[in-house]
Amino acid sequence: MSNKPVRAQAKGSAGVTGAQNSAVGEQAPEKAPGKPRKAAERPQGKASAKKTESHLGMVRRARRINRELAEIYPYAHPELDFRNPFELLVATVLSAQTTDLRVNQTTPALFAAYPTPEDMAAAVPEDLEEIIRPTGFFRAKARSLLGLSQALRDNFGGEVPGRMEDLVTLPGVGRKTANVVLGNAFGVPGITVDTHFGRLVRRWKWTEQEDPEKVEAEICAIFPKSEWTMLSHRVVFHGRRICHARRPACGACPIAPLCPAYGEGETDPEKAKKLLKYEKGGQPGQRLSPPPDYPGLPAAPLGGAPAGS
């Protein structure tokens, strides 16, 4: 399966669109992709975080944040390069404890050597380990890739299944990985609770849960199912570009008035601008082959310079 139909789905407004598919609700007015937005004024500062908020008020605020994120990141997408469900599954397994960029720099050689589950299932473990070494934890990841490839070959006719209950039976595949594959390769809505997503939804007071499955359940209850996949993309995009873990760029954040954690990061607009990453900071993104509507630069292959740099 190619990336193209997947991108078309991700751009659709109602279906798999809102807030990485889970955060939005209504669709915001369209804006030119990549057009920078000014951070809204935040005169009340951190005091607003102390106000008591009802559950209904939180839901309304969460859905408004999703609408805002849809305007800020109309081009939000999976940041792993892939051309079919098998490549996305493998890339997602490799993405544990490393960056999507490092995975994207590693998978071209991997898929050139092992383009199908049958090919990867027959790989010599040491050869596979050497190719994926740059992603870290390469021995454990190689065992997972060999195991899931053999399971696909033996139990699913060499095809990646399109059901959660089947995907989680594969070695190295949990709900997070399964939701990534289902949402982006099969169009099945799902919330992907990775580190960025969990961090932001707690920062925004959408949930207090720490367990990923409990986070997933509570966020699913806030947003329409049609929004789950895109909600995940948007939240992750925001966490990587603006709302960083250690030093959020609060002064450059367009959703600052809706954030109960405003003020935890840099509030000076000029200083905050210097904290922006990827396309928001004028830098390359994580994909070597980004979607056509991505407004930033493609990433560089290992040891190379990004296109357009």
Side-chain angles (χ1 to χ4, degrees), residues 105 299-307 309:
Q105 292 172 326
L302 283 174
S309 65

Side-chain angles (χ1 to χ4, degrees), residues 60-214:
R60 287 174 173 169
R61 179 173 58 82
R63 292 186 176 194
R64 185 177 171 190
I65 287 176
N66 183 52
R67 294 196 299 271
E68 291 291 319
L69 293 177
E71 288 192 50
I72 300 164
Y73 308 108
Y75 49 84
H77 59 270
E79 293 192 270
L80 291 168
D81 287 328
F82 69 99
R83 296 169 296 184
N84 55 57
F86 176 64
E87 290 190 357
L88 179 58
L89 176 62
V90 168
T92 306
V93 170
L94 290 177
S95 69
Q97 305 297 315
T98 191
T99 64
D100 287 355
L101 171 58
R102 183 49 57 95
V103 174
N104 292 336
Q105 292 172 326
T106 303
T107 50
L110 177 65
F111 295 133
Y114 312 111
T116 69
E118 291 84 356
D119 294 322
M120 192 169 290
V124 175
E126 292 77 12
D127 293 343
L128 181 59
E129 289 174 3
E130 189 59 32
I131 293 175
I132 67 173
R133 181 185 289 268
T135 69
F137 302 95
F138 58 92
R139 290 190 180 90
K141 290 179 180 180
R143 287 195 295 270
S144 293
L145 295 186
L146 287 169
L148 72 84
S149 296
Q150 291 162 4
L152 291 176
R153 179 196 62 193
D154 298 341
N155 303 331
F156 297 100
E159 299 291 333
V160 176
R163 301 192 309 166
M164 172 69 73
E165 54 265 42
D166 293 328
L167 284 167
V168 295
T169 67
L170 301 174
V173 178
R175 285 191 64 87
K176 184 188 83 169
T177 296
N179 274 323
V180 170
V181 174
L182 290 173
N184 298 288
F186 292 100
V188 178
I191 296 287
T192 301
V193 183
D194 72 352
T195 302
H196 298 287
F197 190 91
R199 174 170 58 81
L200 263 64
V201 297
R202 284 187 290 271
R203 184 173 275 176
W204 293 335
K205 308 299 183 186
W206 293 0
T207 182
E208 294 181 354
Q209 299 292 340
E210 295 284 344
D211 179 80
E213 290 194 23
K214 293 180 179 178

